[in-house]
PDB file of all heavy atoms in Angstrom:
ATOM      1  N   THR A  95      -6.554  11.861  11.367  1.00 97.00           N
ATOM      2  CA  THR A  95      -7.375  11.278  10.312  1.00 97.00           C
ATOM      3  C   THR A  95      -7.550  12.289   9.188  1.00 97.00           C
ATOM      4  O   THR A  95      -7.859  13.454   9.446  1.00 97.00           O
ATOM      5  CB  THR A  95      -8.760  10.871  10.855  1.00 97.00           C
ATOM      6  OG1 THR A  95      -8.583   9.937  11.923  1.00 97.00           O
ATOM      7  CG2 THR A  95      -9.628  10.244   9.773  1.00 97.00           C
ATOM      8  N   VAL A  96      -7.327  11.833   7.960  1.00 97.00           N
ATOM      9  CA  VAL A  96      -7.602  12.667   6.793  1.00 97.00           C
ATOM     10  C   VAL A  96      -9.074  12.461   6.457  1.00 97.00           C
ATOM     11  O   VAL A  96      -9.506  11.349   6.175  1.00 97.00           O
ATOM     12  CB  VAL A  96      -6.710  12.288   5.593  1.00 97.00           C
ATOM     13  CG1 VAL A  96      -7.041  13.161   4.388  1.00 97.00           C
ATOM     14  CG2 VAL A  96      -5.236  12.397   5.961  1.00 97.00           C
ATOM     15  N   ASN A  97      -9.850  13.525   6.512  1.00 96.00           N
ATOM     16  CA  ASN A  97     -11.292  13.445   6.250  1.00 96.00           C
ATOM     17  C   ASN A  97     -11.633  13.566   4.779  1.00 96.00           C
ATOM     18  O   ASN A  97     -12.499  12.864   4.282  1.00 96.00           O
ATOM     19  CB  ASN A  97     -12.043  14.537   7.023  1.00 96.00           C
ATOM     20  CG  ASN A  97     -11.873  14.389   8.508  1.00 96.00           C
ATOM     21  OD1 ASN A  97     -11.991  13.307   9.050  1.00 96.00           O
ATOM     22  ND2 ASN A  97     -11.571  15.489   9.170  1.00 96.00           N
ATOM     23  N   THR A  98     -10.968  14.508   4.110  1.00 94.00           N
ATOM     24  CA  THR A  98     -11.228  14.723   2.693  1.00 94.00           C
ATOM     25  C   THR A  98      -9.910  14.922   1.953  1.00 94.00           C
ATOM     26  O   THR A  98      -8.953  15.469   2.505  1.00 94.00           O
ATOM     27  CB  THR A  98     -12.125  15.958   2.438  1.00 94.00           C
ATOM     28  OG1 THR A  98     -11.457  17.132   2.948  1.00 94.00           O
ATOM     29  CG2 THR A  98     -13.482  15.805   3.104  1.00 94.00           C
ATOM     30  N   PHE A  99      -9.879  14.463   0.715  1.00 93.00           N
ATOM     31  CA  PHE A  99      -8.735  14.654  -0.161  1.00 93.00           C
ATOM     32  C   PHE A  99      -9.236  14.514  -1.590  1.00 93.00           C
ATOM     33  O   PHE A  99      -9.928  13.541  -1.902  1.00 93.00           O
ATOM     34  CB  PHE A  99      -7.659  13.605   0.112  1.00 93.00           C
ATOM     35  CG  PHE A  99      -6.521  13.620  -0.893  1.00 93.00           C
ATOM     36  CD1 PHE A  99      -5.708  14.723  -1.026  1.00 93.00           C
ATOM     37  CD2 PHE A  99      -6.278  12.542  -1.709  1.00 93.00           C
ATOM     38  CE1 PHE A  99      -4.669  14.762  -1.932  1.00 93.00           C
ATOM     39  CE2 PHE A  99      -5.245  12.540  -2.630  1.00 93.00           C
ATOM     40  CZ  PHE A  99      -4.435  13.667  -2.743  1.00 93.00           C
ATOM     41  N   THR A 100      -8.920  15.471  -2.432  1.00 90.00           N
ATOM     42  CA  THR A 100      -9.312  15.391  -3.839  1.00 90.00           C
ATOM     43  C   THR A 100      -8.169  15.824  -4.738  1.00 90.00           C
ATOM     44  O   THR A 100      -7.359  16.666  -4.380  1.00 90.00           O
ATOM     45  CB  THR A 100     -10.535  16.281  -4.148  1.00 90.00           C
ATOM     46  OG1 THR A 100     -10.245  17.622  -3.768  1.00 90.00           O
ATOM     47  CG2 THR A 100     -11.774  15.812  -3.422  1.00 90.00           C
ATOM     48  N   ILE A 101      -8.141  15.190  -5.915  1.00 88.00           N
ATOM     49  CA  ILE A 101      -7.202  15.550  -6.971  1.00 88.00           C
ATOM     50  C   ILE A 101      -8.064  15.824  -8.206  1.00 88.00           C
ATOM     51  O   ILE A 101      -8.925  15.015  -8.565  1.00 88.00           O
ATOM     52  CB  ILE A 101      -6.237  14.403  -7.314  1.00 88.00           C
ATOM     53  CG1 ILE A 101      -5.441  13.983  -6.087  1.00 88.00           C
ATOM     54  CG2 ILE A 101      -5.315  14.791  -8.455  1.00 88.00           C
ATOM     55  CD1 ILE A 101      -4.641  12.726  -6.315  1.00 88.00           C
ATOM     56  N   THR A 102      -7.832  16.954  -8.856  1.00 86.00           N
ATOM     57  CA  THR A 102      -8.573  17.292 -10.074  1.00 86.00           C
ATOM     58  C   THR A 102      -7.615  17.323 -11.253  1.00 86.00           C
ATOM     59  O   THR A 102      -6.559  17.963 -11.185  1.00 86.00           O
ATOM     60  CB  THR A 102      -9.256  18.675  -9.919  1.00 86.00           C
ATOM     61  OG1 THR A 102     -10.081  18.644  -8.756  1.00 86.00           O
ATOM     62  CG2 THR A 102     -10.085  19.017 -11.142  1.00 86.00           C
ATOM     63  N   ALA A 103      -7.987  16.620 -12.329  1.00 79.00           N
ATOM     64  CA  ALA A 103      -7.169  16.591 -13.545  1.00 79.00           C
ATOM     65  C   ALA A 103      -7.058  17.997 -14.119  1.00 79.00           C
ATOM     66  O   ALA A 103      -7.995  18.802 -14.020  1.00 79.00           O
ATOM     67  CB  ALA A 103      -7.762  15.651 -14.561  1.00 79.00           C
ATOM     68  N   GLY A 104      -5.928  18.286 -14.721  1.00 70.00           N
ATOM     69  CA  GLY A 104      -5.658  19.621 -15.245  1.00 70.00           C
ATOM     70  C   GLY A 104      -6.665  20.119 -16.266  1.00 70.00           C
ATOM     71  O   GLY A 104      -6.906  21.304 -16.374  1.00 70.00           O
ATOM     72  N   ASN A 105      -7.272  19.237 -17.026  1.00 64.00           N
ATOM     73  CA  ASN A 105      -8.216  19.658 -18.062  1.00 64.00           C
ATOM     74  C   ASN A 105      -9.668  19.415 -17.701  1.00 64.00           C
ATOM     75  O   ASN A 105     -10.553  19.527 -18.534  1.00 64.00           O
ATOM     76  CB  ASN A 105      -7.912  18.922 -19.376  1.00 64.00           C
ATOM     77  CG  ASN A 105      -6.559  19.333 -19.906  1.00 64.00           C
ATOM     78  OD1 ASN A 105      -6.160  20.474 -19.763  1.00 64.00           O
ATOM     79  ND2 ASN A 105      -5.841  18.393 -20.500  1.00 64.00           N
ATOM     80  N   ALA A 106      -9.917  19.088 -16.438  1.00 53.00           N
ATOM     81  CA  ALA A 106     -11.296  18.785 -16.003  1.00 53.00           C
ATOM     82  C   ALA A 106     -12.079  20.050 -15.756  1.00 53.00           C
ATOM     83  O   ALA A 106     -11.572  21.069 -15.469  1.00 53.00           O
ATOM     84  CB  ALA A 106     -11.283  17.921 -14.758  1.00 53.00           C
TER      85      ALA A 106
END
Side-chain angles (χ1 to χ4, degrees):
T95 302
V96 179
N97 298 314
T98 61
F99 172 63
T100 56
I101 301 171
T102 304
N105 295 325

